[in-house]
Amino acid sequence: MNNKEGNNKKSGARANSSRPSSNKPKPAMQKRAQGPKKVKVNTKVAEVATDKVEKKPNQAPKRPKVKDEIRLNKYIANSGACSRRDADIYIQSGTVKVNGIPVTEMGYMVKPGDVVNFDGSTLTPEKKVYILLNKPKNFTTAMDEGQEYRNVLELVKGSTTAKIGAVGRMDKNTTGLLLFTNDTDMIRKFTLPSQKSSKIYQVSLDKNLKYEDLEKINKGLTLDGHRVFVEDVSYIDGEAKSEIGLQLRSSNVKVVRNIFEHFSYDVLRIDRVSFAGLTKKNLPRGNWRLLTDQEIINLKNV
């Protein structure tokens, strides 16, 4: 068989092949099923929305507050038993009972009609009372000075049935403003060394105060290892130079006396003319008055 025939056979076989011709149009491919189109999300907006809606795990729903209910530690403090901070310690120790059941839960709410037993005795909460006295001489805040000098509580007797106490101490020779209250938190606040309220004293000395000593006092000094910061000290206009005005934060009158005795002056009289913004205006010596609502707010915000 010559090459021509072989070529014809090959070309014939190719022509009679069952393979579809390349010129024949191919069937269209079916489209793949497509899901819903993805929507682009603004991640920043989503994060903000999540933060607002997301709750902490195991977060208990807030219980609606019952009318006139009060936190247990505040209830105890209102009764005059101790401060709110000390009340928390008693609660944790299990010595406080409500309706006969020991309560150790911090933030427990006492409802009207609940009976609170504190360290073996039943408490009765009192309304907070704030009384300002212009103390005269020969009365003292101490309870152990014998019968020679009477206690300052005699001067405010009949002002309230609440159990009140003086804020700070005063000896028999010190006169001026003295605050009384049954608010144990306020008593503690104004007796702390770190408290920030100013008191102004008029001090009478046995001799004129030297200007150089006045300057030394104004710069502050150290007494018994403690630094005393004096806000202001000056001579009183129209008075002898033995009459001195002193402004400082301490409510301890003993500190006032020690300042001048440190420079070898004898203190004849001390009169507190201002206490945390309160003054003796319209309050004669030996008289007392109740604080106004605004004055109470001011004291709490000092």
Side-chain angles (χ1 to χ4, degrees), residues 40 49 57 90 93 99 120 125 128 146 153 189 229 235 270:
K40 289 186 178 181
Y90 280 98
S93 67
N99 301 327
K128 291 291 181 283
L153 288 173
K189 172 182 177 178
F229 295 96
Y235 300 113
I270 299 175

Side-chain angles (χ1 to χ4, degrees), residues 33-81:
Q34 296 182 352
K37 289 184 178 181
K38 293 184 179 179
V39 180
K40 289 186 178 181
V41 179
N42 189 331
T43 54
K44 290 186 178 179
V45 175
E47 288 175 3
V48 173
T50 304
D51 290 342
K52 289 182 179 178
V53 177
E54 185 180 358
K55 292 184 178 180
K56 294 181 180 179
N58 301 325
Q59 185 178 19
K62 288 187 177 180
R63 179 176 62 85
K65 188 175 181 180
V66 179
K67 185 181 178 182
D68 296 330
E69 71 177 1
I70 184 174
R71 282 180 175 270
L72 180 56
N73 60 354
K74 187 175 181 181
Y75 184 99
I76 295 171
N78 287 355
S79 70

Side-chain angles (χ1 to χ4, degrees), residues 5-288:
E5 288 177 349
N7 289 338
N8 288 336
K9 283 182 180 180
K10 288 180 183 177
S11 60
R14 200 175 289 119
N16 296 329
S17 173
S18 61
R19 277 180 78 183
S21 171
S22 58
N23 295 329
K24 188 176 181 181
K26 297 179 181 180
M29 295 181 64
Q30 292 184 350
K31 290 185 179 180
R32 287 186 298 176
Q34 296 182 352
K37 289 184 178 181
K38 293 184 179 179
V39 180
K40 289 186 178 181
V41 179
N42 189 331
T43 54
K44 290 186 178 179
V45 175
E47 288 175 3
V48 173
T50 304
D51 290 342
K52 289 182 179 178
V53 177
E54 185 180 358
K55 292 184 178 180
K56 294 181 180 179
N58 301 325
Q59 185 178 19
K62 288 187 177 180
R63 179 176 62 85
K65 188 175 181 180
V66 179
K67 185 181 178 182
D68 296 330
E69 71 177 1
I70 184 174
R71 282 180 175 270
L72 180 56
N73 60 354
K74 187 175 181 181
Y75 184 99
I76 295 171
N78 287 355
S79 70
C82 63
S83 68
R84 290 175 70 170
R85 183 177 296 182
D86 290 338
D88 286 336
I89 298 173
Y90 280 98
I91 294 169
Q92 289 176 322
S93 67
T95 57
V96 178
K97 295 180 180 179
V98 179
N99 301 327
I101 302 172
V103 173
T104 57
E105 174 190 344
M106 305 307 296
Y108 183 89
M109 304 300 288
V110 178
K111 298 181 290 296
D114 285 347
V115 178
V116 178
N117 187 279
F118 175 82
D119 205 21
S121 59
T122 301
L123 299 183
T124 303
E126 296 177 326
K127 182 182 177 181
K128 291 291 181 283
V129 179
Y130 305 87
I131 299 168
L132 187 65
L133 169 73
N134 188 351
K135 176 188 169 303
K137 287 183 67 174
N138 297 328
F139 286 84
T140 175
T141 55
M143 304 292 290
D144 54 355
E145 293 194 14
Q147 300 299 319
E148 184 179 358
Y149 302 107
R150 292 183 292 175
N151 190 273
V152 289
L153 288 173
E154 295 181 29
L155 297 169
V156 292
K157 187 177 181 180
S159 60
T160 179
T161 57
K163 185 179 179 181
I164 58 176
V167 178
R169 303 186 67 177
M170 274 192 177
D171 58 36
K172 63 182 180 63
N173 292 321
T174 303
T175 59
L177 297 179
L178 183 61
L179 181 66
F180 294 85
T181 182
N182 58 342
D183 187 340
T184 54
D185 286 335
M186 183 169 288
I187 292 175
R188 182 177 180 275
K189 172 182 177 178
F190 282 106
T191 52
L192 285 173
S194 59
Q195 56 88 38
K196 299 179 180 180
S197 63
S198 295
K199 291 86 180 173
I200 301 176
Y201 301 87
Q202 181 173 343
V203 185
S204 301
L205 304 177
D206 63 329
K207 55 188 175 183
N208 292 344
L209 178 66
K210 297 178 182 179
Y211 182 76
E212 54 265 34
D213 290 338
L214 183 144
E215 286 293 293
K216 291 176 183 177
I217 294 172
N218 198 39
K219 292 177 181 177
L221 63 158
T222 301
L223 298 174
D224 299 327
H226 298 284
R227 185 70 177 169
V228 178
F229 295 96
V230 176
E231 294 180 326
D232 191 27
V233 59
S234 62
Y235 300 113
I236 296 177
D237 292 340
E239 301 282 349
K241 286 185 167 41
S242 59
E243 296 295 320
I244 310 299
L246 180 70
Q247 180 176 334
L248 71 167
R249 293 179 178 178
S250 176
S251 59
N252 188 347
V253 179
K254 187 178 179 181
V255 173
V256 178
R257 188 177 299 277
N258 289 346
I259 287 174
F260 295 97
E261 290 180 349
H262 180 78
F263 294 95
S264 301
Y265 295 91
D266 288 335
V267 177
L268 304 180
R269 287 179 299 277
I270 299 175
D271 186 41
R272 184 189 282 159
V273 297
S274 176
F275 180 92
L278 302 172
T279 68
K280 298 191 296 181
K281 184 179 180 181
N282 300 326
L283 189 62
R285 189 84 75 199
N287 288 26
W288 59 268

